[in-house]
Amino acid sequence: MESIQSALKQWTKDKNLEQRLENARKSLLADPFVKGALDKIPVTDDAIDQGLIKLYEFKNERYNCENCPGLAACPNMMQGYQPEIIFARKAIDLEYHSCSLKKQAESAKKQRQLMKSLYVPKDILTATFDELDLDRDRAEASRKALEFVVNAKPGEDGQGLYFYGPFGVGKTHLMGAIANELREREIESFIVYTPDFFREMKQSIGDGTFQEKLDMVKRAQVLILDDIGAETISGWIRDDVLGAILQHRMLENLPTLFTSNYDYDELEEHLAYSERGGIEELKAKRIMERIKHYTTFVRVEGANRRAR
């Protein structure tokens, strides 16, 4: 008798469990997210019964998304991903796709990677055409800058710009605006402050990173050499660094942009001198022929903004 009573209790307990499971099933299938997803795919009752765990996972993940706490605090199993119910090989399964926040974060990361810099102030890297002081003195330079951004085709057209003008007239800010606009077009740019870059290239010989750094600059879709002519020149810098960069970019039709306080003739004279006191006019002329042929000379004028 005792064993029969125990069996009856167990049977009653199992029946209650079965009822609870059925109620949970009905509640799950009535959920708006689950019902809406299942209505869109041809799925059998057997597949639903076999896929209840997947459906439960789908429901929980979608409600996490509905009450999103932000990408960094995302509670989903795959942070930043949303599930989608699919029916494949007669079974319910889930596919995960990037959510809108994940896509934004990935896009922002990609955008950051598109604009690289060396030794350039942060305010230059955030410059835009909207915030620039586009007065009459800078009208021509601004127009040329915008034309370049709109028409830039690295790999097809290697024509760049040469912004010449005195200190503080906004040459570098214009280049920063160009780099940011190129980023919006998903065109990679590399903007470097030339004197510090050349100095680092000398030091990189000792640590074995010279070729890696040289290749990184050589291969940028758009290269901006800021303040060329302000460096202490040497035959090695001129021929093995600057010359190598320009030669590669010329052959690959990659645009190079420059800012300088020197015009073409003054820069050629600067490049002819070496730190040892010699004059090498022919080598300087070779460099300048590449610069002249592949850039449009643009005079940037106006008041010195730095003096304000």
Side-chain angles (χ1 to χ4, degrees):
M1 187 68 178
E2 194 171 318
S3 61
I4 295 175
Q5 289 177 345
S6 177
L8 286 173
K9 288 180 181 179
Q10 186 65 40
W11 181 83
T12 303
K13 183 178 179 182
D14 288 343
K15 292 290 284 184
N16 289 338
L17 174 61
E18 184 178 333
Q19 186 61 50
R20 288 200 301 272
L21 288 174
E22 180 60 23
N23 291 340
R25 179 182 183 278
K26 289 180 180 179
S27 176
L28 176 64
L29 297 180
D31 178 83
F33 281 123
V34 175
K35 187 175 185 303
L38 291 177
D39 286 344
K40 296 176 183 178
I41 57 176
V43 61
T44 64
D45 289 340
D46 286 343
I48 289 175
D49 289 337
Q50 295 296 320
L52 289 176
I53 292 177
K54 292 286 185 181
L55 294 177
Y56 185 74
E57 178 184 331
F58 172 80
K59 173 189 172 184
N60 286 345
E61 302 271 272
R62 286 308 305 265
Y63 274 100
N64 287 340
C65 294
E66 187 74 5
N67 302 285
C68 178
L71 185 60
C74 175
N76 283 358
M77 288 188 292
M78 294 178 61
Q79 194 174 61
Y81 288 85
Q82 284 183 333
E84 175 190 355
I85 294 176
I86 62 170
F87 189 55
R89 296 186 292 276
K90 299 182 180 181
I92 288 175
D93 204 351
L94 300 181
E95 276 188 355
Y96 278 83
H97 306 281
S98 301
C99 71
S100 59
L101 293 182
K102 180 70 173 178
K103 289 177 181 177
Q104 290 173 15
E106 290 171 345
S107 176
K109 181 180 178 180
K110 183 179 179 181
Q111 291 285 299
R112 288 193 298 271
Q113 291 172 338
L114 286 172
M115 189 173 74
K116 303 170 185 175
S117 67
L118 286 174
Y119 317 110
V120 178
K122 289 183 179 179
D123 62 320
I124 300 301
L125 302 180
T126 59
T128 64
F129 284 104
D130 291 337
E131 65 185 22
L132 291 176
D133 186 2
L134 304 179
D135 58 21
R136 185 175 61 183
D137 292 325
R138 293 167 182 77
E140 178 67 7
S142 301
R143 184 176 67 81
K144 290 291 187 183
L146 282 167
E147 282 181 0
F148 176 82
V149 168
V150 171
N151 299 315
K153 295 179 181 178
E156 297 180 29
D157 183 358
Q159 194 69 18
L161 297 170
Y162 188 98
F163 279 8
Y164 158 73
F167 294 102
V169 295
K171 302 185 297 297
T172 304
H173 267 83
L174 273 170
M175 289 298 182
I178 288 173
N180 271 300
E181 290 297 325
L182 289 173
R183 183 176 63 182
E184 294 300 315
R185 289 190 56 200
E186 297 192 352
I187 295 176
E188 177 201 52
S189 66
F190 208 136
I191 179 169
V192 300
Y193 179 62
T194 307
D196 283 347
F197 170 65
F198 287 158
R199 200 157 30 244
E200 177 167 332
M201 293 306 289
K202 288 181 182 179
Q203 298 170 354
S204 66
I205 295 176
D207 61 23
T209 61
F210 172 80
Q211 194 60 49
E212 177 185 352
K213 291 173 181 175
L214 185 67
D215 289 343
M216 180 172 57
V217 174
K218 279 167 53 176
R219 296 169 182 170
Q221 286 184 290
V222 175
L223 174 63
I224 300 172
L225 293 177
D226 182 42
D227 211 7
I228 190 168
E231 70 284 342
T232 300
I233 200 66
S234 69
W236 179 77
I237 286 291
R238 180 194 59 219
D239 302 331
D240 295 329
V241 180
L242 181 59
I245 289 170
L246 297 181
Q247 177 69 10
H248 176 86
R249 301 187 65 76
M250 178 184 70
L251 293 174
E252 298 297 325
N253 282 323
L254 298 173
T256 308
L257 285 65
F258 303 83
T259 74
S260 185
N261 301 129
Y262 290 158
D263 63 20
Y264 283 156
D265 291 338
E266 291 168 333
L267 183 60
E268 182 174 330
E269 184 178 348
H270 169 73
L271 293 174
Y273 286 89
S274 71
E275 58 189 1
R276 296 180 180 179
I279 299 176
E280 297 177 305
E281 294 179 354
L282 183 59
K283 291 184 177 181
K285 191 174 291 293
R286 285 175 182 162
I287 297 291
M288 286 308 304
E289 283 304 310
R290 294 169 188 168
I291 294 176
K292 288 179 183 178
H293 187 72
Y294 285 96
T295 60
T296 299
F297 186 85
V298 183
R299 186 183 297 272
V300 186
E301 299 177 317
N304 186 341
R305 264 39 183 185
R306 298 177 191 172
R308 292 182 175 181

